[in-house]
Amino acid sequence: TVLLAWPSNLVAHGLSTTPTLPTHKRLHLLTFDLDDTIFPIGPVVAEANDAMISRLQTFGYTDANNDEIVAASKRIRNELREVGEALTYTDLRKQSIRREIMRLTDLKHHQVDDSVVEDVFDSWLSTRHASADKYL
């Protein structure tokens, strides 16, 4: 799915706004969702997930498991939904990585090294970008 957006060119009149005809046609936003519009998302995310697990294993978390990370993501989203809060996908991924480290150790949330979480996330993200380029 592709979404294109041009400015609305709204002009204020008193307390209300009245749309006017566009004076130019410069595109202001172009976005794509993740439904294989540009590249097959399945293999891209799978490669990124493999890189994430490999990086966790590099840090000694040899039993790291992507299914556990996905389950943690679902739990986090449900927890947030219950209290009416939300997270960005980046923060959700990082929190899921943190929970996987907690699952594999006796560490509490605040004891997990932020630099490890960032490093593992960066591995996932850079692989996702490289994989997307590969599948274009």
Side-chain angles (χ1 to χ4, degrees), residues 38-40 44 47 125-136:
I38 303 202
F39 54 82
V44 169
E47 287 182 18
L125 187 61
S126 62
T127 302
R128 188 190 73 179
H129 291 319
S131 183
D133 287 345
K134 180 172 78 174
Y135 287 101
L136 280 177

Side-chain angles (χ1 to χ4, degrees), residues 1-123:
T1 304
V2 178
L3 172 68
L4 303 173
W6 283 264
S8 62
N9 288 336
L10 294 179
V11 177
H13 293 285
L15 298 176
S16 65
T17 57
T18 305
T20 62
L21 294 175
T23 58
H24 63 287
K25 295 185 180 192
R26 193 174 84 204
L27 184 64
H28 282 258
L29 173 71
L30 173 64
T31 184
F32 299 89
D33 63 5
L34 299 177
D35 65 354
D36 298 337
T37 303
I38 303 202
F39 54 82
I41 193 66
V44 169
V45 172
E47 287 182 18
N49 290 343
D50 289 346
M52 175 183 61
I53 295 301
S54 177
R55 192 67 184 147
L56 280 164
Q57 291 171 343
T58 299
F59 281 107
Y61 305 110
T62 56
D63 291 331
N65 182 301
N66 189 60
D67 291 337
E68 292 289 340
I69 292 173
V70 170
S73 293
K74 291 177 182 179
R75 285 191 302 275
I76 292 166
R77 282 186 298 205
N78 287 335
E79 292 164 6
L80 292 172
R81 192 174 303 118
E82 288 175 8
V83 296
E85 295 181 15
L87 271 178
T88 65
Y89 284 110
T90 295
D91 289 335
L92 178 61
R93 171 82 47 187
K94 289 177 183 179
Q95 288 299 325
S96 300
I97 292 166
R98 181 178 302 278
R99 289 214 185 165
E100 179 63 356
I101 292 170
M102 291 167 56
R103 183 184 74 81
L104 296 169
T105 66
D106 291 329
L107 296 175
K108 304 294 182 215
H109 186 275
H110 68 281
Q111 296 172 314
V112 175
D113 188 337
D114 291 338
S115 67
V116 172
V117 173
E118 290 294 328
D119 187 285
V120 172
F121 175 76
D122 289 345
S123 176

